[in-house]
Amino acid sequence: MARVIDETKLVRVHEAAMELIVEKGYAGASIFLIAKKADVSEGYLYRFYKGKEQLVNSLLDNTLKEVSEILDTYFDKHESAITIMEGLLSAICKIAEKKPVQIKFIFVMLSSYNFTASEDIKNNMIETLNKLLIIGQKQNVIDENVSVDHFFTMLIIYPIQFINFRLKQFLRKGTFSRKDKKSLIEFVTETLKK
Amino acid sequence: MARVIDETKLVRVHEAAMELIVEKGYAGASIFLIAKKADVSEGYLYRFYKGKEQLVNSLLDNTLKEVSEILDTYFDKHESAITIMEGLLSAICKIAEKKPVQIKFIFVMLSSYNFTASEDIKNNMIETLNKLLIIGQKQNVIDENVSVDHFFTMLIIYPIQFINFRLKQFLRKGTFSRKDKKSLIEFVTETLKK
Amino acid sequence: MARVIDETKLVRVHEAAMELIVEKGYAGASIFLIAKKADVSEGYLYRFYKGKEQLVNSLLDNTLKEVSEILDTYFDKHESAITIMEGLLSAICKIAEKKPVQIKFIFVMLSSYNFTASEDIKNNMIETLNKLLIIGQKQNVIDENVSVDHFFTMLIIYPIQFINFRLKQFLRKGTFSRKDKKSLIEFVTETLKK
Amino acid sequence: MARVIDETKLVRVHEAAMELIVEKGYAGASIFLIAKKADVSEGYLYRFYKGKEQLVNSLLDNTLKEVSEILDTYFDKHESAITIMEGLLSAICKIAEKKPVQIKFIFVMLSSYNFTASEDIKNNMIETLNKLLIIGQKQNVIDENVSVDHFFTMLIIYPIQFINFRLKQFLRKGTFSRKDKKSLIEFVTETLKK
DNA sequence: TATGAATGAGCCTTCATTCAT
DNA sequence: GATGAATGAAGGCTCATTCAT
């Protein structure tokens, strides 16, 4: 039998790729650098992906899918819109604490005109958010005048941006604390309420 | 007379660079493409910039400076915090209508860990925003609990993101209408108010 | 028993290699493709050959040896030069019908400055052709003025080229029929006669 | 004004490419090696060709066109089929003496299943050869039984093969002398006559 | 023995940058 | 001053080869 596939390796490639893309941008994250950081040969990733672009697209999809699934899970488990929203925000913050690269990666990729989330993930997310908005408005925790666009931007984009400008040290030292988390959740839910 | 011609050329280079970076990303916007689009030779820009990176950094600074100056202008001319904020938001929207490339460019560049606004511009903006926040809270048009971070994210980042996800057609067809403008200004000011 | 299985495998590798080299050239015939076509692992052939180049050299030698041995066989069995030549030409045509890959392979490899027949095979062939030429001239079936060079080119190279330009569809649809065979044998023998 | 194009450079690239392809095959002739041999930068040829394949295709076309044009010239200038054929053969031999690389290059490329002459050149050549065959048969210098296929193979392919097996030193030391030229022309014309 | 996961040298190609004109 | 021909470093990718299993 031939050597067995080392699953750790692929994970290392994923992490190295995300970190380098965040740090140096898509073009700056060369295959050489990614492979070196992941302690893997340059040819390795071509066993799993057709090329660099496919790797990055797959990474973006998986990362967004994670957020999308968190939303779905909360949506399925709970009835209260406020609980769902707080759960989602809390989950996003937890990712920011535990795996800040992921949030940075989403941040970087979402703001590119070259990469977009796959239609499936986008549609699924929009659908759930639509339902959540209606429920929230029925339950009087979201203002009647809030449109889907603002709901989406406020609930998903705003937190990601807020967290990242922290991590990017745009305004102050780059950490995202428990206090920030509380403040963020409150700000978003209050804003949507009215 | 000769000077005038030069100025036009450089402006053409700037516009071409921004358009191409927005469309194809930093790496996709090659010097060849930029020069071609600007109807200028490839070597031309090296008389003014040390290289591509310096050009782009300069572009980002100038674009942000424009926004910063709009803020300063409104801040100097008006006493009412709400008027200043509405003026700023309105100005951002006007840029989005008149020169959408600029807003797209800021959007793309801000969400990159490679490029950052120069310290000067950043500091000046933060200073003014700080003052505005305090005035706004005194005038009871900004909630007491709004921190500088949220104020900045909501007043500057949120509009840019909102506009761009429109233009990027993330949620729906990519236009930014007068109605959107009104809705955006209302949403932001209402949010900050309480 | 185990040996037999091995032999089949190696034969499959040989055939796959020749087919792919003919179809895609030396560089296009990758080890991966050869192994896949032969239903063998990529590492397999390295048990028998030092590398790709050795494999191909060996293949060329074996294929040419086959032709050389046909010539020797006819030469040993028959006295009439015309019978020997016709036998050889007929045998070459038969290969072209039964195993066209072999003829294509010789065609492709002979016209390369990278690969040459091994000295042994070359020398043996030249020796026999020399004898045959002398006999043929004694028997008045080969013109006195025909040199070894022309004899070799006409008897061996010309048929291979003629067949291949047929198969390559250079002039017309790519088949090599019985009529072509007759025409080829006649043309070559007539040419050498006078 | 910018630097002026150095025509010599491109010629050097062409020669280097042909020489290396002859010596090491298409795959062995790397861009690095070609550029080095031509004393040109690696990126140079991409100003004129889209890639390696286009360069080689263009080279093949130009080389074949040269032969094709020689044929046309003789065909237009002379009435006698034997003069035309002798002229063509003589011209091919002259190329072999003056620019042996060209003949070697045609030899190598024609026997590849990956590269073919462009349809235009092929068709033009076949057309002229067809006319020449008919004229030759009318003038009793080409046997009635010679088919187009044999005519083509004998008049074009045979000489190229003969010359190359000389140059390849398959049978003897690799030169192609005046005596060889005479012998070749005689052999081909005699063969076709009867 | 045979496999095929993993490697990394080397390929083709792009493109920021230089500099002769 | 302005051009654009030329460069060559660096990029993405392929594939012959190795070797743990």
Side-chain angles (χ1 to χ4, degrees), chain D residues 1 3 30-31 42 46 52:
Chain D
M1 274 303 133
R3 225 169 300 170
S30 72
I31 297 293
E42 280 187 70
Y46 291 90
K52 187 182 172 181

Side-chain angles (χ1 to χ4, degrees), chain B residues 89-103:
Chain B
L89 289 166
S90 185
I92 290 173
C93 291
K94 192 172 281 172
I95 295 174
E97 283 168 54
K98 294 273 165 62
K99 309 185 218 160
V101 188
Q102 285 204 6
I103 288 293

Side-chain angles (χ1 to χ4, degrees), chain B residues 14-27:
Chain B
H14 293 167
E15 278 169 359
M18 287 201 293
E19 278 165 27
L20 282 162
I21 284 170
V22 163
E23 195 187 328
K24 296 160 169 288
Y26 177 76

Side-chain angles (χ1 to χ4, degrees), chain C residues 40-90:
Chain C
V40 147
S41 77
E42 287 182 70
Y44 181 76
L45 67 88
Y46 288 88
R47 298 199 56 73
F48 305 94
Y49 302 101
K50 211 183 162 189
K52 189 182 171 181
E53 202 175 318
Q54 200 184 86
L55 163 68
V56 175
N57 266 318
S58 154
L59 245 35
L60 179 57
D61 264 15
N62 289 341
T63 318
L64 285 178
K65 199 188 265 175
E66 203 168 302
V67 175
S68 178
E69 279 170 358
I70 290 169
L71 177 60
D72 285 350
T73 307
Y74 276 101
F75 190 79
D76 291 344
K77 277 197 186 155
H78 301 274
E79 306 261 299
S80 151
I82 199 80
T83 310
I84 297 170
M85 293 193 301
E86 279 178 5
L88 177 65
L89 289 166
S90 185

Side-chain angles (χ1 to χ4, degrees), chain A residues 5 14 40-41 48 63-64 79 107 113 125 140 158 174-175 182:
Chain A
I5 294 182
H14 292 167
V40 148
S41 74
F48 305 93
T63 318
L64 285 177
E79 306 260 298
F107 173 72
Y113 275 75
M125 201 171 227
N140 268 319
Y158 185 93
T175 50
K182 213 189 134 207

Side-chain angles (χ1 to χ4, degrees), chain D residues 82-171:
Chain D
I82 200 81
T83 310
I84 296 169
M85 293 194 299
E86 279 177 4
L88 176 65
L89 290 166
S90 183
I92 290 174
C93 290
K94 191 172 280 171
I95 295 175
E97 284 169 52
K98 294 271 165 63
K99 309 184 217 159
V101 192
Q102 286 203 6
I103 286 293
K104 289 179 179 182
F105 182 70
I106 295 179
F107 174 73
V108 167
M109 299 312 284
L110 276 191
S111 304
S112 148
Y113 276 76
N114 303 305
F115 290 92
T116 331
S118 78
E119 289 299 311
D120 277 2
I121 292 168
K122 225 158 71 175
N123 291 336
N124 177 63
M125 202 172 226
I126 289 169
E127 204 184 319
T128 311
L129 284 176
N130 261 320
K131 289 192 219 151
L132 181 58
L133 175 59
I134 291 164
I135 294 172
Q137 289 174 332
K138 268 191 193 148
Q139 297 177 355
N140 268 320
V141 293
I142 302 175
D143 191 284
E144 286 295 324
N145 297 316
V146 170
S147 67
V148 203
D149 292 24
H150 282 300
F151 187 54
F152 169 77
T153 314
M154 203 64 217
L155 193 61
I156 307 288
I157 304 301
Y158 186 92
I160 292 172
Q161 294 289 323
F162 185 81
I163 291 167
N164 270 286
F165 276 95
R166 239 334 138 63
L167 298 175
K168 251 186 103 174
Q169 314 185 13
F170 193 87
L171 291 170

Side-chain angles (χ1 to χ4, degrees), chain A residues 18 58-67 102 105-106:
Chain A
M18 287 200 292
S58 155
L59 246 34
L60 179 58
D61 264 17
N62 288 341
T63 318
L64 285 177
K65 199 189 266 177
E66 203 169 301
V67 174
Q102 286 203 6
F105 182 70
I106 295 179

